[in-house]
């Protein structure tokens, strides 16, 4: 008998706490957002698969959240939770395709920029888990962008050859291949060193990308944006 999505949802939240070591409050928030999706689409007793998932279902769910008065930020978090769950199903072999890319992006209305103090940023960074290679990747990604002011496109194109851990610098290529050298700082250098230790040797080849997905391919700009957004939604 095929397990239902409710069963897989419980496995997902257990994985968040026991394996990925998310905080209890974060696990509760993920569980709440996921439960809301399954209830709104009446999918709790359905098995994973093409009949359960469709771009239209995802769109309907996010639209229902907007109709309930949730802010764009809350809707974006719910979409991130849904993407994480769908990728979990694919990694576990419950689905033949990763439906995460079919979840619509949520646009934010224009607003004044919100600046984050150094102490608050340090608190956020210190709270990020580092138990696995992928958690180290996420922390290194956020730390590098914060330390260097790198754009998403610059991070996506970063290769190990561009990273000089001895001198704690990184070579970034901006628009029209304009090159600049930025200091890394001790913390991000240490996290990158840990990432190298946690990665297969082939994954840290001199010409290989620094930030890769679970298939060892270069992260996309969307994946980087989602990772950063998800990190600060916890």
């Amino acid at each position: 008998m095929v397990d239902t999505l409710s069963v897989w949802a419980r496995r997902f939240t257990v994985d968040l706490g026991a394996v990925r070591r998310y905080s209890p409050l974060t696990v509760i928030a993920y569980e709440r957002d996921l439960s809301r999706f399954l209830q709104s689409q009446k999918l709790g007793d359905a098995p994973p698969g093409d009949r359960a998932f469709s771009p239209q279902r995802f769109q309907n769910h996010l639209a229902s959240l907007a109709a309930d008065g949730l802010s764009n930020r809350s809707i974006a978090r719910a979409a991130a939770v849904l993407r994480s769950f769908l990728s979990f199903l694919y990694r576990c072999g419950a689905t033949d395709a990763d439906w995460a890319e079919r979840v619509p992006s949520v646009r934010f209305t224009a607003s004044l920029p919100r600046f984050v103090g150094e102490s608050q940023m340090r608190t956020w960074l210190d709270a990020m888990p580092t138990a696995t290679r992928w958690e180290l990747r996420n922390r290194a990604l956020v730390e590098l962008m914060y330390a260097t002011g790198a754009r998403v496109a610059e991070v996506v194109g970063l290769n190990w050859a561009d990273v000089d851990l001895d001198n704690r610098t990184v070579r970034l290529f901006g628009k029209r291949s304009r090159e600049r050298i930025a200091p890394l700082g001790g913390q991000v250098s240490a996290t990158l060193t840990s990432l190298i230790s946690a990665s297969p040797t082939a994954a840290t080849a001199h010409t290989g990308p620094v930030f890769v997905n679970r298939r060892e391919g270069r992260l996309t700009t969307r994946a980087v944006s989602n990772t950063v957004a998800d990190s600060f939604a916890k």
Side-chain angles (χ1 to χ4, degrees):
M1 182 176 179
V2 179
D3 291 331
T4 66
L5 283 171
S6 291
V7 172
W8 279 106
R10 287 194 293 271
R11 290 174 181 164
F12 172 65
T13 54
V14 168
D15 179 80
L16 290 177
V19 179
R20 300 178 68 181
R21 298 186 180 181
Y22 283 19
S23 71
L25 289 179
T26 299
V27 173
I28 291 173
Y30 270 54
E31 186 175 21
R32 181 182 61 246
D33 285 339
L34 186 53
S35 176
R36 183 179 289 167
F37 167 71
L38 295 179
Q39 291 177 5
S40 74
Q41 299 303 304
K42 298 179 174 59
L43 291 174
D45 295 328
D50 293 355
R51 292 185 178 181
F53 303 133
S54 69
Q56 188 60 51
R57 281 191 185 276
F58 304 146
Q59 184 66 51
N60 290 344
H61 173 59
L62 298 181
S64 71
L65 297 181
D68 289 340
L70 271 68
S71 67
N72 275 7
R73 189 167 298 278
S74 295
I75 297 172
R77 186 196 64 201
V81 170
L82 185 53
R83 291 189 194 98
S84 184
F85 175 59
L86 294 169
S87 291
F88 173 78
L89 291 175
Y90 178 62
R91 292 196 306 272
C92 292
T95 57
D96 294 330
D98 189 348
W99 284 86
E101 296 182 356
R102 306 292 185 90
V103 178
S105 299
V106 178
R107 294 181 179 274
F108 290 95
T109 55
S111 60
L112 293 175
R114 182 169 64 93
F115 296 97
V116 178
E118 182 177 353
S119 60
Q120 185 178 7
M121 176 61 75
R122 176 51 52 197
T123 298
W124 280 343
L125 290 174
D126 289 344
M128 294 184 69
T130 56
T132 69
R133 172 191 177 189
W134 307 113
E135 289 172 347
L136 284 167
R137 178 203 65 185
N138 292 349
R139 177 159 174 166
L141 176 62
V142 174
E143 286 182 342
L144 189 145
M145 294 185 72
Y146 178 65
T148 65
R151 300 179 178 88
V152 172
E154 291 176 319
V155 172
V156 166
L158 193 63
N159 293 326
W160 284 112
D162 303 317
V163 179
D164 185 347
L165 292 176
D166 291 332
N167 294 309
R168 294 182 178 178
T169 60
V170 62
R171 180 174 55 179
L172 299 168
F173 295 90
K175 294 180 178 179
R176 299 178 182 176
S177 298
R178 291 179 180 174
E179 178 182 334
R180 65 187 177 94
I181 304 296
L184 284 176
Q187 182 59 59
V188 64
S189 295
T191 304
L192 285 169
T193 300
S194 297
L195 177 60
I196 292 173
S197 299
S199 303
T201 302
T204 58
H206 198 57
T207 57
V210 175
F211 299 109
V212 299
N213 56 34
R214 293 175 185 270
R215 295 182 178 180
E216 306 299 341
R218 190 183 298 272
L219 283 183
T220 63
T221 55
R222 177 174 177 177
V224 171
S225 298
N226 288 341
T227 296
V228 174
D230 190 47
S231 297
F232 292 114
K234 294 180 177 58

